[in-house]
């Protein structure tokens, strides 16, 4: 059976944006996580937050069958320290490194590749997007861009079809509850309450799941 690959800038991005779809349709699934954003790593001290988040990932992996692969690239220069308000230009050297790491860690027998559409224009998400978008034609044909919740693109990219997948909010809430250190109750109510669909784009006119 071919393996699904998700490029997830940080480990919770895949579960937030595609968790229900991946579990019900696209197992087995490897989640490639290029960036490590813990404040400890940014400041060069002990990685307690990193280890906590990896423990949360293990809960997801054990319960839902996802496999996490970490790149451990720091995105300090991309978003500012420690908040998200700052937007910087794409680091070309980092893009090259991340792209090379992704290609190196693709499973030998992979099927569909999901990668972020960078809806929120975060530089780390843009780097993940470009790593696949600029790759060779065969890889692009097997790929799909997902919308990172809670962002939404009103207009699909040229030559793409939007696929909407409705999910069970109680299932999604249970899954996202594993990320208690990262997702507040208020945010959970939005991601698995007010939002009831996962979205991705397919190249061409096909709308099959």
């Amino acid at each position: 059976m071919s393996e699904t690959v998700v490029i997830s800038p940080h480990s919770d991005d895949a579960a937030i944006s595609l968790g229900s779809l991946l579990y019900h349709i696209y197992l087995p699934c490897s989640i490639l996580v290029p960036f490590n954003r813990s404040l400890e790593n940014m400041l060069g001290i002990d990685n307690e937050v990193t280890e906590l988040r990896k423990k949360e990932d293990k809960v997801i992996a054990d319960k839902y069958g996802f496999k996490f692969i970490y790149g451990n690239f720091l995105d300090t220069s991309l978003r500012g320290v420690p908040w998200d308000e700052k937007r910087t230009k794409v680091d070309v050297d980092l893009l090259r490194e991340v792209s090379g790491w992704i290609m190196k860690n693709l499973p030998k027998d992979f099927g569909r590749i999901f990668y972020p559409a960078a809806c929120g224009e975060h530089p780390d998400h843009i780097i993940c997007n470009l790593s696949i978008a600029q790759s060779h034609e065969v890889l692009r044909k097997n790929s799909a861009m997902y919308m990172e919740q809670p962002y939404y693109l009103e207009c699909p990219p040229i030559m793409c079809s939007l696929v909407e997948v409705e999910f069970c909010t109680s299932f999604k809430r249970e899954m996202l509850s594993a990320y208690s250190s990262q997702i507040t109750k208020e945010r959970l109510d939005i991601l698995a309450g007010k939002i009831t669909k996962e979205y991705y784009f397919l190249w061409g006119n096909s709308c099959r799941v």
Side-chain angles (χ1 to χ4, degrees):
M1 180 183 296
S2 60
E3 191 168 348
T4 302
V5 176
V6 182
I7 311 302
S8 182
H10 301 94
S11 53
D12 61 337
D13 289 316
I16 288 172
S17 302
L18 291 173
S20 183
L21 176 74
L22 296 174
Y23 177 73
H24 289 104
I25 298 176
Y26 280 110
L27 290 180
C29 176
S30 286
I31 299 176
L32 272 57
V33 185
F35 295 106
N36 179 343
R37 197 174 173 227
S38 76
L39 183 58
E40 282 82 358
N41 262 6
M42 290 180 178
L43 301 178
I45 57 180
D46 292 340
N47 299 327
E48 291 182 11
V49 171
T50 300
E51 294 308 312
L52 172 60
R53 291 180 176 179
K54 287 186 177 180
K55 286 180 180 178
E56 292 175 342
D57 290 342
K58 189 175 187 307
V59 172
I60 293 287
D62 292 345
K63 188 167 185 177
Y64 301 103
F66 302 160
K67 179 172 69 176
F68 291 91
I69 302 172
Y70 301 100
N72 294 315
F73 293 96
L74 299 184
D75 59 4
T76 314
S77 63
L78 301 179
R79 290 201 180 186
V81 181
W83 312 114
D84 290 354
E85 285 82 358
K86 181 179 178 182
R87 298 287 188 270
T88 61
K89 295 180 180 179
V90 170
D91 184 327
V92 177
D93 291 333
L94 184 57
L95 169 59
R96 187 180 301 111
E97 290 183 44
V98 171
S99 180
W101 176 80
I102 288 174
M103 298 305 138
K104 182 179 179 181
N105 284 278
L106 288 176
K108 291 183 179 180
D109 182 23
F110 64 85
R112 175 148 292 160
I113 299 177
F114 290 92
Y115 66 101
C119 303
E121 299 183 355
H122 294 134
D124 47 348
H125 288 238
I126 293 174
I127 283 179
C128 291
N129 175 282
L130 292 177
S131 293
I132 301 299
Q134 70 181 5
S135 62
H136 56 81
E137 188 68 21
V138 174
L139 195 57
R140 286 202 305 272
K141 285 183 178 178
N142 291 321
S143 65
M145 287 189 301
Y146 65 89
M147 281 197 266
E148 303 98 317
Q149 307 281 19
Y151 299 100
Y152 184 84
L153 288 179
E154 295 291 342
C155 299
I158 297 174
M159 300 300 293
C160 284
S161 299
L162 174 63
V163 180
E164 302 181 0
V165 182
E166 192 160 2
F167 60 79
C168 172
T169 54
S170 59
F171 171 84
K172 191 72 171 282
R173 177 177 289 270
E174 181 182 354
M175 174 181 280
L176 297 185
S177 293
Y179 288 112
S180 59
S181 76
Q182 304 174 63
I183 301 176
T184 64
K185 181 184 182 300
E186 291 75 18
R187 193 175 178 213
L188 186 61
D189 288 340
I190 294 173
L191 296 172
K194 292 183 178 179
I195 296 174
T196 60
K197 293 181 180 180
E198 296 170 340
Y199 304 91
Y200 64 94
F201 298 106
L202 285 177
W203 297 103
N205 296 319
S206 173
C207 282
R208 65 182 177 83
V209 174

